Amino acid sequence: EAGVAQSPRYKIIEKRQSVAFWCNPISGHATLYWYQQILGQGPKLLIQFQNNGVVDDSQLPKDRFSAERLKGVDSTLKIQPAKLEDSAVYLCASSARTGASYKLFFGSGTQLSVL
Amino acid sequence: GDSVTQMEGPVTLSEEAFLTINCTYTATGYPSLFWYVQYPGEGLQLLLKATKADDKGSNKGFEATYRKETTSFHLEKGSVQVSDSAVYFCALVRENQKVTFGTGTKLQVIP
């Protein structure tokens, strides 16, 4: 089966610019996640969707980050304006079901460098 | 809140050496515990999991046992290969599928 698709693979922008990342989960997966992975740290959850509804966005910096999943399939994460500390890899993941025993499928990530 | 602590890397081993990567957690209740692996240039993928105390997860020669009394989930492999070089993440998973990751341990296996 096709995996989780993310684009772009790399992005370099200057601070205060805006940027958007795209994710297409595995077909049929209702749950979609965006994680931020700063170099040397584990992934940190930014937002979790169940279909097109938000389940958890408690760690999303809402003054600059936004995410949507309008049709319950693919998703877009936006940063506006970007700060230097936003430099990280942004990972998208999906899961067929919720529950503690179900694994997440991750995309390869988008590496963002803010200069 | 939930937290996961992993041993710092990088860990450098010769091929066929024994591997242990320590993982301890802090959490209430009965979460599930996972190990994810990230090979160079790829996304994270599940290596193994255990969903209750005393369960042993295993895959590709790797093993980890869910020890509630020591709040640990150490990853072990009897004989590592160069192809095992990657970053390994211990993770705690709740029923609502909220995942708390450790900081990752980089393993480098040299021939």
Side-chain angles (χ1 to χ4, degrees):
Chain A
E1 63 183 357
V4 176
Q6 287 189 248
S7 67
R9 188 74 178 88
Y10 302 94
K11 190 73 177 178
I12 301 173
I13 62 172
E14 294 188 350
K15 60 183 180 183
R16 292 189 289 274
Q17 286 187 323
S18 62
V19 64
F21 313 127
W22 175 81
C23 171
N24 193 21
I26 292 173
S27 178
H29 281 195
T31 311
L32 184 148
Y33 311 78
W34 283 102
Y35 284 87
Q36 180 192 58
Q37 186 178 11
I38 293 173
L39 186 64
Q41 300 181 18
K44 182 187 83 171
L45 179 68
L46 292 175
I47 189 167
Q48 177 183 345
F49 291 97
Q50 180 73 17
N51 295 309
N52 60 351
V54 175
V55 174
D56 183 352
D57 63 356
S58 58
Q59 297 191 87
L60 186 73
K62 298 180 185 64
D63 58 333
R64 298 185 301 107
F65 286 64
S66 64
E68 60 183 15
R69 193 185 184 200
L70 292 175
K71 298 181 180 179
V73 181
D74 58 345
S75 175
T76 303
L77 175 70
K78 295 180 182 178
I79 307 175
Q80 182 179 8
K83 293 185 176 181
L84 297 177
E85 59 261 36
D86 298 332
S87 294
V89 176
Y90 291 85
L91 299 169
C92 179
S94 69
S95 177
R97 300 180 184 180
T98 56
S101 61
Y102 295 102
K103 68 179 182 181
L104 304 185
F105 293 82
F106 284 85
S108 297
T110 296
Q111 185 170 329
L112 173 67
S113 296
V114 182
L115 306 178
Chain B
D2 297 341
S3 67
V4 175
T5 302
Q6 287 183 237
M7 63 187 288
E8 287 194 21
V11 174
T12 302
L13 295 174
S14 298
E15 208 165 19
E16 299 183 1
F18 184 86
L19 169 71
T20 300
I21 299 179
N22 290 336
C23 170
T24 57
Y25 67 91
T26 301
T28 57
Y30 304 94
S32 294
L33 298 172
F34 286 52
W35 277 99
Y36 280 88
V37 58
Q38 188 173 30
Y39 298 104
E42 300 183 13
L44 281 77
Q45 55 187 276
L46 178 67
L47 179 60
L48 54 84
K49 67 179 181 181
T51 58
K52 60 182 186 295
D54 300 325
D55 266 3
K56 177 186 283 187
S58 60
N59 186 27
K60 300 181 181 180
F62 290 88
E63 293 183 340
T65 301
Y66 189 157
R67 302 283 189 200
K68 192 161 180 64
E69 63 276 14
T70 55
T71 61
S72 64
F73 193 55
H74 304 322
L75 182 68
E76 296 181 337
K77 186 175 185 182
S79 176
V80 294
Q81 305 300 312
V82 172
S83 57
D84 294 326
S85 297
V87 181
Y88 293 81
F89 292 91
C90 185
L92 182 156
V93 185
R94 289 291 184 183
E95 192 60 32
N96 61 2
Q97 217 159 31
K98 181 173 182 179
V99 184
T100 302
F101 286 93
T103 53
T105 302
K106 184 176 182 178
L107 170 66
Q108 184 176 6
V109 181
I110 54 178

